Amino acid sequence: MPIYRTEKNKDYVVMSNVFLQRKDLSIKAKGLLAYMLSLPDDWKITVGGLTSQLKECKSAVAAMLNELESNGYLYRNRDNPKPF
């Protein structure tokens, strides 16, 4: 199956593909991380905010965030009074 690539001159994100190649991360966690990397730098990441933009429910998003955190791809600011 051929892969069609387009010219990247707007609306794209550059990211490392290291996490995409890892076998110990689920495809859902990889997709969520890729999505989060595409968000603006000032976007406040919360479970509620993510579920409002995605098809997955809160428990699924929370599980993916936990997977990313346990594998070192996410750090939660525990000083924030409103946790995920």
Side-chain angles (χ1 to χ4, degrees), residues 26-61:
S26 70
I27 191 67
K28 286 185 175 187
K30 291 175 185 181
L32 181 60
L33 181 55
Y35 175 74
M36 291 190 306
L37 290 171
S38 76
L39 296 171
D41 291 340
D42 62 345
W43 206 79
K44 303 295 183 208
I45 296 175
T46 64
V47 172
L50 290 170
T51 55
S52 72
Q53 300 297 311
L54 305 171
K55 185 178 177 179
E56 281 67 31
C57 65
K58 286 184 179 184
S59 62
V61 170

